[in-house]
Amino acid sequence: MSQSESKKYHLTIALMGKPSPSASTPSPTLGKYDEYLAEDALQEVEPVIPVNVLPQSELYVGKQRKTEPAWVVALRELMLVDIPSLQNASNRSVVFTTIEGHVIALIFGYGRSLLNGRLIVRDFGKRTALNILNGDDIRSITSFSIADAILLSQTQASESTNSAEFGVDESSGIVKQITGTPVDADYGDLVSGGDVLAIDINLSHGDELAEKLRALLRAYKNNDQRQESLKWISRISETKDAALKDSLNDALQAFLLGEDGGSQWKVTSLSSMPSKIIDWESAGLFYLGSEARAEKTLDDNSRPQFKPYIDLKEYIDSYRGKGKLIDKMKRDKLFVLSTTEDNPIAICSAYRSLVCEMEMDGSAYVLVDGRWFEVAASLYKEIEGYLTGGSLEHVDLNLPEWESPDAEGIYNEKAAEVTGYAHLDKSRSGIEFGPKQIEVCDLFDISDKRFIHVKKKGSSGELSHLFSQGTVAAECYQDDREFRRQFVQLIDNPSFAEDSRPRHEEFCVTYAIILTDRGGDSIPPVDNRLGRINLIPFFSRVNLMQRTRELRRMGFRVQLGFIGRA
């Protein structure tokens, strides 16, 4: 390529952290960057090749691996045909260079598999992208949303648009990756930032690359240049405090093992999920565990049992107390057994598959994708202020106490007998021109026109589902005549008109949360609104605020009350 000729290149760039001082020097030594390779990669690379166009640079090329895909075996056995051997080949390489004291890896092909994943600086790609992107020129956002369930979704636009158009909730969304056009064309035509940074960039000669990498490092460090329309993404941001993260992980480990770790941190929600979008057409079975066990051949009887779901309980139960559980989870992997590959594929570490919510003294943190995120104080105060203001009514419920071990259905039957409320638990109404049946509510207070929804206190997902259920039913009652007609039949009370929509604030949606812990949660008085909302996990509070706003816009009053344990 001549000095004047410019050509577009697609580059994938990772910023590498410093290896632990206690880490042993890899052997045998191939080059100066051996310690940045994965443990088994030294046996998987060709002799190192010096790179002259970048300072202090070396090229590591992975040895080609060929495997026969599982579908070839299935084709032979099921169709009884003799076909030639077909093999997949994986090509991978990495160029390491040092720029301004920082080690940078340029990844080619499947080269990321050669890297020590624990040394990749996880926020480099996203943070750099956010600092250089045009907020009105975004193409794709991948995000976690913490609501009824933990949702990992990728939204793509047919053409570049404002980040607000992607529907990521500013109160509960955690952006994992963002793609768009940078403000300054010198950064490239298209930039995508997640753990790593991917750019399409024009270069006329290799010597230009070093200066481009310096510019990207400067952008990574400079949050001041971030556009206003993208600053909301920092409302839930990764914590960098190492001591705080250790404290959070210690509390998490104690919770996983059912131990009293003496911590004041309170785990309010925990689940496990793949940390990235997977192809569910080919994804079959999952396994949490060591790479050595997962890679045993399919016909080996000692191969671990892959399951159609992620069995976190079995994984924790198999822990033998050797070493720190959290460290083990960072080494072990979540594997998927694909229908198109012969060997299980590592999706992420077992630790990165965890989604955990934790709170203490007005602070909220969430573990997502192996990183602890802190909820900004401004967001925490915004939610607190809304839920303790006048929009949400805090009430003492005229409902009996819950008796263990009653299920919710049994409790609702007893409550209906005591109060005279209509018992509608599991009773459903249909909507016009639609097959879906919606549960109206658990109890209906005919005299005060209250739709009462009852749920035992549980995780964020369970309570958020309660709040969503109340909103959906109220919307159907307001907008759908057929829904109202069937509801009037259920309560057997002709005084309720089915032909007209309810008047403003004529009806009320009441959320009743059962506190099941004996000697645990006690119900603060009605005037202690802050104490009451603090009984609910943080991201359920986010959902309650959102649903209350929706219900108020539809003209419903909204109440929150609690049911104690007898």
Side-chain angles (χ1 to χ4, degrees):
M1 182 172 62
S2 67
Q3 293 288 328
S4 60
E5 182 183 2
S6 180
K7 187 175 179 181
K8 183 180 293 185
Y9 295 91
H10 179 81
L11 298 178
T12 301
I13 305 164
L15 177 63
M16 306 301 291
K18 294 181 179 180
S20 170
S22 61
S24 58
T25 303
S27 180
T29 300
L30 296 175
K32 67 177 70 174
Y33 295 104
D34 290 3
E35 57 190 338
Y36 294 94
L37 297 179
E39 291 183 8
D40 60 347
L42 281 172
Q43 288 73 43
E44 294 289 328
V45 295
E46 304 288 354
V48 170
I49 302 172
V51 178
N52 297 323
V53 297
L54 287 171
Q56 305 178 58
S57 301
E58 292 178 338
L59 168 63
Y60 288 74
V61 178
K63 296 176 181 177
Q64 193 177 73
R65 293 190 300 188
K66 294 184 178 181
T67 58
E68 187 172 67
W71 62 263
V72 173
V73 177
L75 189 60
R76 289 196 189 103
E77 293 177 352
L78 294 176
M79 302 304 168
L80 303 177
V81 293
D82 186 17
I83 59 175
S85 177
L86 300 174
Q87 293 187 319
N88 293 329
S90 61
N91 297 297
R92 54 219 169 112
S93 63
V94 177
V95 172
F96 289 103
T97 185
T98 301
I99 304 290
E100 298 179 354
H102 297 280
V103 174
I104 291 176
L106 302 175
I107 302 168
F108 297 90
Y110 292 95
R112 187 164 177 174
S113 66
L114 298 175
L115 296 179
N116 182 341
R118 298 180 68 176
L119 293 181
I120 295 175
V121 178
R122 300 280 300 283
D123 71 338
F124 169 71
K126 184 180 78 172
R127 182 171 161 185
T128 305
L130 288 171
N131 289 344
I132 64 178
L133 285 175
N134 182 343
D136 294 321
D137 212 353
I138 305 301
R139 296 298 301 269
S140 172
I141 293 180
T142 302
S143 64
F144 289 94
S145 177
I146 302 176
D148 298 16
I150 310 299
L151 304 177
L152 174 60
S153 60
Q154 181 179 29
T155 306
Q156 298 182 154
S158 58
E159 57 186 26
S160 296
T161 187
N162 188 283
S163 60
E165 298 296 322
F166 288 83
V168 180
D169 189 87
E170 296 185 15
S171 301
S172 62
I174 299 176
V175 172
K176 177 179 171 68
Q177 184 167 347
I178 187 167
T179 303
T181 304
V183 175
D184 188 343
D186 284 346
Y187 288 116
D189 297 333
L190 193 68
V191 171
S192 183
D195 286 353
V196 299
L197 186 72
I199 61 174
D200 289 328
I201 194 167
N202 290 300
L203 296 171
S204 58
H205 53 88
D207 293 339
E208 284 186 322
L209 182 55
E211 182 51 41
K212 297 291 185 184
L213 294 176
R214 291 189 187 96
L216 291 170
L217 277 174
R218 289 194 293 271
Y220 167 66
K221 299 174 182 178
N222 186 9
N223 291 338
D224 293 338
Q225 68 186 65
R226 185 174 303 182
Q227 291 205 330
E228 193 66 34
S229 60
L230 294 174
K231 288 184 177 179
W232 65 268
I233 293 176
S234 299
R235 299 189 83 187
I236 303 178
S237 58
E238 184 177 1
T239 179
K240 299 295 184 182
D241 187 328
L244 174 60
K245 289 190 286 187
D246 287 343
S247 176
L248 292 165
N249 281 328
D250 287 345
L252 172 59
Q253 174 167 293
F255 180 83
L256 289 170
L257 296 176
E259 300 172 348
D260 181 7
S263 172
Q264 293 181 302
W265 288 106
K266 182 179 181 182
V267 176
T268 56
S269 185
L270 178 69
S271 59
S272 180
M273 65 177 289
S275 68
K276 62 182 180 181
I277 304 290
I278 63 174
D279 180 6
W280 287 99
E281 288 188 6
S282 61
L285 304 172
F286 296 94
Y287 170 68
L288 278 172
S290 68
E291 191 162 4
R293 290 196 68 210
E295 288 186 345
K296 290 182 179 293
T297 56
L298 280 169
D299 58 353
D300 187 349
N301 291 331
S302 66
R303 186 184 185 88
Q305 182 64 46
F306 281 73
K307 297 183 178 180
Y309 58 91
I310 301 171
D311 196 338
L312 180 60
K313 183 180 183 303
E314 181 182 78
Y315 175 80
I316 299 300
D317 289 345
S318 67
Y319 174 65
R320 296 288 181 254
K322 296 179 179 179
K324 193 172 181 179
L325 174 61
I326 295 298
D327 290 342
K328 173 179 169 57
M329 296 190 78
K330 290 179 179 179
R331 294 190 302 270
D332 288 346
K333 301 288 193 298
L334 170 62
F335 294 92
V336 62
L337 191 59
S338 168
T339 58
T340 60
E341 299 286 342
D342 185 49
N343 291 316
I345 301 168
I347 301 174
C348 61
S349 70
Y351 181 71
R352 286 182 68 177
S353 77
L354 294 178
V355 180
C356 177
E357 212 178 306
M358 206 174 287
E359 287 187 69
M360 181 178 70
D361 296 337
S363 298
Y365 291 83
V366 59
L367 175 67
V368 176
D369 195 22
R371 288 175 277 185
W372 284 105
F373 291 84
E374 179 180 8
V375 176
S378 60
L379 175 58
Y380 203 94
K381 289 294 183 184
E382 175 189 330
I383 295 165
E384 186 179 276
Y386 184 87
L387 294 178
T388 57
S391 297
L392 177 67
E393 301 174 25
H394 293 258
V395 297
D396 284 327
L397 299 169
N398 182 30
L399 292 171
E401 292 182 318
W402 174 78
E403 296 179 1
S404 178
D406 285 356
E408 289 169 13
I410 295 174
Y411 172 83
N412 290 331
E413 288 179 11
K414 292 180 178 179
E417 291 176 6
V418 171
T419 61
Y421 296 161
H423 178 227
L424 300 180
D425 185 18
K426 298 183 175 59
S427 298
R428 299 177 180 271
S429 294
I431 55 177
E432 193 169 14
F433 306 121
K436 190 172 183 180
Q437 296 285 309
I438 307 294
E439 185 174 298
V440 184
C441 58
D442 296 303
L443 301 166
F444 184 69
D445 179 357
I446 295 175
S447 61
D448 290 337
K449 297 183 179 180
R450 292 192 302 163
F451 298 98
I452 303 173
H453 299 266
V454 180
K455 175 70 71 175
K456 291 180 182 178
K457 180 183 175 182
S459 67
S460 278
E462 291 168 327
L463 288 181
S464 294
H465 177 72
L466 168 73
F467 303 142
S468 300
Q469 187 180 44
T471 306
V472 170
E475 183 178 15
C476 291
Y477 187 82
Q478 181 195 50
D479 294 341
D480 194 271
R481 182 180 180 277
E482 176 61 21
F483 188 88
R484 291 194 296 272
R485 186 189 69 79
Q486 293 186 33
F487 166 74
V488 170
Q489 289 181 340
L490 286 172
I491 63 173
D492 193 22
N493 192 317
S495 65
F496 286 83
E498 62 186 60
D499 295 327
S500 59
R501 299 175 69 180
R503 296 187 303 274
H504 183 72
E505 294 196 345
E506 178 184 8
F507 285 82
C508 178
V509 174
T510 301
Y511 295 115
I513 299 175
I514 301 172
L515 304 179
T516 59
D517 289 341
R518 183 184 296 279
D521 297 321
S522 58
I523 304 175
V526 171
D527 58 359
N528 184 1
R529 297 180 175 184
L530 181 59
R532 284 184 159 231
I533 67 166
N534 283 339
L535 293 174
I536 305 172
F538 174 76
F539 282 98
S540 290
R541 278 174 250 159
V542 174
N543 194 275
L544 177 59
M545 179 182 73
Q546 295 165 339
R547 303 308 180 187
T548 300
R549 283 174 171 166
E550 292 178 42
L551 289 165
R552 297 285 295 175
R553 281 196 294 267
M554 288 189 285
F556 289 87
R557 293 164 33 237
V558 187
Q559 295 180 341
L560 175 67
F562 293 91
I563 300 164
R565 173 174 176 161

